[in-house]
Amino acid sequence: MSQTISLKLSDFDAALLSELSKREAKTPEELILEALHSLFASRLDDKIIPLSSDVFDACSKGSSVKCLILPNGL
C-alpha cells in the first residue's frame, strides 16, 4: 500500500534537492523518504507515549481498539 503526497518546495529547496540527487545518484523521492525515515526514527526513539492500563490491555489483547505498533529501527 502506498499513498501519494504532494510537496511544494521553494526554488532554493528544489535546487538543493536536485543537486543532492545528482551527487548521490538517488531520486528526489528516495532522498525525501530517507530524510523522513531518519526523522521518524529520531523522534520515536526519544518519545515514550504513556498508555492507560485499559488502552494497553486492549492493544495487547487485540481488541477493536486501533493500535499502532512500530518496528524498532524504523
Side-chain angles (χ1 to χ4, degrees):
M1 183 174 119
S2 65
Q3 184 176 4
T4 300
I5 297 175
S6 296
L7 179 65
K8 185 173 182 177
L9 298 174
S10 68
D11 290 341
F12 179 76
D13 289 336
L16 288 176
L17 182 58
S18 177
E19 181 61 30
L20 190 56
S21 176
K22 291 174 190 171
R23 287 185 185 188
E24 297 201 8
K26 294 181 179 179
T27 67
E29 291 84 2
E30 289 173 317
L31 292 171
I32 290 169
L33 285 173
E34 215 174 86
L36 281 173
H37 291 166
S38 177
L39 176 67
F40 294 156
S42 69
R43 297 251 175 113
L44 290 171
D45 284 346
D46 294 341
K47 304 283 186 206
I48 296 175
I49 301 170
L51 301 176
S52 69
S53 58
D54 292 342
V55 172
F56 179 81
D57 289 342
C59 287
S60 63
K61 293 178 183 168
S63 77
S64 62
V65 173
K66 300 293 182 201
C67 303
L68 175 63
I69 299 173
L70 300 170
N72 289 334
L74 175 67

